[in-house]
Amino acid sequence: MSHTREHGGDHRPIRPPRTDVAAPGTVTPKRLAAQLASGTPVLPVLIVSVIVVVDLLGGAGLTWLSLLAAGPALAATTSGPRGVLCVGLLAGLLGATLGIRDGEPVRELAAVLSALVAVTLASGLASALRGRRERVLAAVRSVAEAAQHALLQPVPATVGPFQVAVRYSAAAAEARIGGDLYALVPTPYGVRLIVGDVRGKGLPAVGIAALVVGVFREAAYEEPDLLAVVDRIERSLARNLRCDDFVTAVVAGHPRPGMLEVVNCGHTPPLLVRGSEVVPVEPDRPAPPLGLRALTDETPALQVLPFADEDQLLLYTDGVTEARDHAREFYPLADRLARHVSDEPARTLTALHDELLAHVGGRLHDDAALLLLRKPAVPEAAPAPDRV
């Protein structure tokens, strides 16, 4: 029968006192079994059991008992030290029992059991070290994730008059960020964005990418001219880069409806999607990458593009177009974009990104970034009703 206690409007069931609760610190058989089960991996125990069954059926003696060390050795790859010790203890007890049952010589049986103890202790130490490395890796990955949010801030699905989607993959193992960069910010001069690629990989490339993104975000708000934004980045890199470092980038802006401004500094040309046609936006005048202007007489040029409703612009890094499959064929980005383009940038990039990973066999060998910008059609306002 159910009972409830009313107190201040709180109706809670009254449960009868439990009689099976052990005092604190008491180890009951059920609690011990639960602890052992939680720390004992299934597969190593199964392997030990198979060896025992084979020994019972075939009577192979020490030949099979010596294989019991495989249990704790395998447990070290999947379990903690407690699991390894549990498997080792189980294997030792079963090995001793079977050895005595089969009448094995004491000296040989002791040697087998001593080897089993040594393997168990070594496996327990290896398991502890593996757990420590996994905790350190988890901490490093959490720091990398925080760095990613600081450097490559999440881009909302809508920025100003545009629909936006971004996909980013770092080539470094277990990394969340790399040498590719992107940023998109609304400013008093319209929406502005950058997609770039730092020469090299690893932490030095991440530092340069952070510098470029920081300078861009500040200059995009302050400079009315897009070329002045590029100049600010160039001057900052000239002071901070080594002589063999550089950054390729495309900087774009939307100063007024119906047009885009594009400055290409040695980067792969963006792809303009207009209807069912995909056209690369080649620069009118080639310009060197950011950080190398002092070595040439060429300067970036401002390119103006018509950008009407339903038009889309894809900016990307060479990690996408230079990705190769097993036959060493490059990923045909323009063709695949024409195949997957839709009215939803996020869906388009998801299809491209998944196909890109399938093209390379699951893992990229270079950082890859994709940023897709779409200008949706503005619905016409309904005419006001006539007044009588």
Side-chain angles (χ1 to χ4, degrees):
M1 182 176 180
S2 176
H3 302 274
T4 60
R5 174 182 299 152
E6 297 186 10
H7 178 72
D10 184 15
H11 303 273
R12 289 173 291 185
I14 299 177
R15 297 181 176 87
R18 294 182 58 184
T19 59
D20 61 340
V21 178
T26 303
V27 180
T28 64
K30 289 185 177 181
R31 181 178 299 177
L32 179 60
Q35 291 177 353
L36 289 176
S38 64
T40 304
V42 176
L43 183 59
V45 172
L46 181 60
I47 290 178
V48 171
S49 302
V50 170
I51 294 174
V52 170
V53 170
V54 171
D55 182 81
L56 289 174
L57 296 178
L62 295 178
T63 303
W64 282 98
L65 294 183
S66 60
L67 297 179
L68 290 173
L74 179 61
T77 64
T78 58
S79 302
R82 185 176 66 176
V84 174
L85 294 179
C86 287
V87 175
L89 177 61
L90 176 64
L93 292 176
L94 292 175
T97 302
L98 292 175
I100 296 174
R101 170 186 171 275
D102 297 336
E104 300 293 344
V106 176
R107 180 174 297 179
E108 285 78 359
L109 180 60
V112 171
L113 295 178
S114 298
L116 177 60
V117 171
V119 171
T120 300
L121 294 177
S123 300
L125 177 61
S127 176
L129 295 177
R130 178 183 57 79
R132 181 180 179 183
R133 287 194 299 269
E134 288 178 350
R135 290 190 294 271
V136 171
L137 178 60
V140 171
R141 293 188 67 179
S142 66
V143 172
E145 188 172 355
Q148 181 191 39
H149 284 291
L151 172 58
L152 304 177
Q153 296 180 358
V155 175
T158 302
V159 180
F162 299 110
Q163 295 174 307
V164 187
V166 174
R167 290 293 182 274
Y168 184 88
S169 296
E174 303 298 338
R176 304 297 180 93
I177 53 179
D180 287 3
L181 60 98
Y182 63 84
L184 187 146
V185 292
T187 73
Y189 313 104
V191 174
R192 286 177 169 175
L193 59 111
I194 183 173
V195 171
D197 186 0
V198 179
R199 175 189 174 275
K201 300 182 181 68
L203 290 178
V206 174
I208 298 174
L211 173 64
V212 173
V213 171
V215 175
F216 168 78
R217 286 174 177 160
E218 181 180 359
Y221 275 95
E222 297 179 355
E223 301 291 348
D225 186 1
L226 193 64
L227 283 174
V229 176
V230 177
D231 290 341
R232 286 271 293 270
I233 301 174
E234 176 69 34
R235 291 197 298 270
S236 179
L237 290 178
R239 294 191 300 267
N240 293 281
L241 288 188
R242 297 174 300 179
C243 59
D244 57 344
D245 289 334
F246 59 86
V247 180
T248 67
V250 171
V251 183
H254 180 251
R256 57 183 179 271
M259 67 169 291
L260 279 180
E261 295 178 341
V262 178
V263 180
N264 192 326
C265 299
H267 198 71
T268 53
L271 297 176
L272 178 64
V273 182
R274 182 166 292 149
S276 59
E277 187 179 10
V278 177
V279 181
V281 182
E282 299 288 351
D284 295 333
R285 187 175 67 199
L290 295 169
L292 297 182
R293 189 184 301 181
L295 303 179
T296 68
D297 296 330
E298 300 174 344
T299 57
L302 187 68
Q303 191 172 2
V304 179
L305 302 176
F307 202 71
D309 291 348
E310 307 294 342
D311 285 353
Q312 303 188 50
L313 186 70
L314 177 65
L315 296 92
Y316 56 95
T317 57
D318 59 9
V320 178
T321 52
E322 294 181 1
R324 296 174 182 260
D325 60 10
H326 296 297
R328 309 299 295 169
E329 296 290 336
F330 291 113
Y331 180 68
L333 178 60
D335 294 340
R336 302 303 169 85
L337 175 59
R339 177 188 303 176
H340 295 296
V341 67
S342 68
D343 294 340
E344 299 179 14
R347 186 172 65 183
T348 302
L349 288 197
T350 297
L352 286 175
H353 188 260
D354 293 345
E355 192 176 61
L356 175 64
L357 292 180
H359 181 80
V360 298
R363 181 177 176 181
L364 294 169
H365 298 286
D366 193 6
D367 303 328
L370 294 158
L371 189 152
L372 183 59
L373 199 71
R374 179 177 182 270
K375 176 64 171 65
V378 179
E380 297 181 1
D386 295 335
R387 294 185 178 180
V388 180

